[in-house]
Amino acid sequence: MNHYTYEELPEGHEESFCVDVTDDKMECFYRITQDENPLHRDAAFAKRMGYDTRVAYGMLTASLLSTLAGVYLPGERSLIHMVETEFPRPVYVGDRLTVTGRVQEKNDRFRTMILKVVIRNQNGEKVCRGKMRVGFLEEKDSRQL
Amino acid sequence: MNHYTYEELPEGHEESFCVDVTDDKMECFYRITQDENPLHRDAAFAKRMGYDTRVAYGMLTASLLSTLAGVYLPGERSLIHMVETEFPRPVYVGDRLTVTGRVQEKNDRFRTMILKVVIRNQNGEKVCRGKMRVGFLEEKDSRQL
């Protein structure tokens, strides 16, 4: 896990990691959400709708933004304020996703940063693009009240 | 599960459901994301940062928007295009969340709708607000190409 402070992250700084989309992750997401939508659970239904097979939950892909902020950018002191995501292409079980985040803009007054996020599959196709506003946790006693 | 078509959902239509935030869901989210951030895993760390105890992952709360679209609004034919979420207050394990979505705006040309989403805890406090753009799946053979 990274331990970046606000000062240690310049605009342009980038971090990446890879994740495999597995049946186990699909099942975990179902246990959290009870989202029984057949697009994600029934390959025959998904095919009738024009997909190769059942489609991974978009919000499962989006959940990787939690890892991006909480482990990489900035890591330990991450506090997510806002997340925006779009899903230009479907993700399937078996896909290997590469999540990349870049510090797009810093706000010195509020000590927050805007991360620009892109997630690509193993073919280099963009399956998710997003933006996050992330702040930095401070120990309670050291806060300026 | 609901089976609303585009025509069946007027602007203003609202759906709600309740979800308990449990240790099991936190563990499932960790299995998906490997987000080992101590704010969500270590009560002592979270307390030093000014929280009551470890904080639920924001993106776990946001994952309930998958259920909102995929099961309720519109249900079966849901296709999520875009999601925006903000997290004005922390969520803790043991909280009971009420997710409410409302059809804010319809776009007849693209047959999409904007849902306005609010998630409140058992005390009526807003813990997440969001916006989604959701389309409607159509059987492949019935598409107008």
Side-chain angles (χ1 to χ4, degrees), chain A residues 9-70:
Chain A
L9 283 172
E11 288 179 6
H13 183 101
E14 209 173 278
E15 300 270 341
S16 273
F17 61 99
C18 282
V19 175
D20 290 319
V21 179
T22 62
D23 278 321
D24 181 64
K25 285 173 182 161
M26 288 289 283
E27 194 53 35
C28 283
F29 193 85
Y30 176 69
R31 273 168 66 182
I32 294 170
T33 62
Q34 300 292 306
D35 182 354
E36 58 182 355
N37 190 283
L39 183 66
H40 312 297
R41 311 264 303 162
D42 175 350
F45 176 89
K47 284 176 187 174
R48 281 207 308 281
M49 299 300 151
Y51 295 92
D52 298 347
T53 184
R54 65 198 185 103
V55 176
Y57 297 96
M59 294 305 286
L60 188 161
T61 301
S63 74
L64 301 174
L65 277 65
S66 185
T67 319
L68 177 67

Side-chain angles (χ1 to χ4, degrees), chain A residues 1 19 24-25 28-29 31-40 45 47-51 57 59-60 62-67 69-71 75-87 133 137-141 143, chain B residues 1 19 24-25 28-29 31-40 45 47-51 57 59-60 62-67 69-71 75-87 133 137-141 143:
Chain A
M1 182 180 312
V19 175
D24 181 64
K25 285 173 182 161
C28 283
F29 193 85
R31 273 168 66 182
I32 294 170
T33 62
Q34 300 292 306
D35 182 354
E36 58 182 355
N37 190 283
L39 183 66
H40 312 297
F45 176 89
K47 284 176 187 174
R48 281 207 308 281
M49 299 300 151
Y51 295 92
Y57 297 96
M59 294 305 286
L60 188 161
S63 74
L64 301 174
L65 277 65
S66 185
T67 319
V71 179
E76 189 185 52
R77 287 173 179 272
S78 163
L79 186 66
I80 299 174
H81 296 199
M82 180 275 296
V83 175
E84 275 179 34
T85 44
E86 290 190 79
F87 308 100
R133 192 173 65 245
L137 289 168
E138 289 178 32
E139 298 216 17
K140 204 183 174 185
D141 295 343
R143 279 185 193 162
Chain B
M1 181 181 312
V19 175
D24 181 65
K25 285 172 183 162
C28 283
F29 192 85
R31 274 168 66 182
I32 295 170
T33 61
Q34 299 293 305
D35 181 355
E36 58 182 354
N37 190 283
L39 183 66
H40 312 297
F45 176 88
K47 284 175 186 172
R48 281 207 308 282
M49 299 300 151
Y51 295 92
Y57 296 96
M59 294 306 286
L60 188 161
S63 73
L64 301 174
L65 276 66
S66 185
T67 319
V71 179
E76 188 185 52
R77 288 175 178 273
S78 164
L79 185 66
I80 299 175
H81 295 200
M82 181 278 294
V83 175
E84 276 180 33
T85 44
E86 290 190 80
F87 307 100
R133 191 173 66 245
L137 289 169
E138 289 178 32
E139 298 215 17
K140 205 183 175 184
D141 294 343
R143 279 185 193 161

Side-chain angles (χ1 to χ4, degrees), chain B residues 121-136:
Chain B
N121 64 19
Q122 64 282 359
N123 304 316
E125 297 165 327
K126 203 181 284 184
V127 296
C128 179
R129 60 172 162 260
K131 209 166 87 168
M132 313 175 75
R133 191 173 66 245
V134 180
F136 291 72

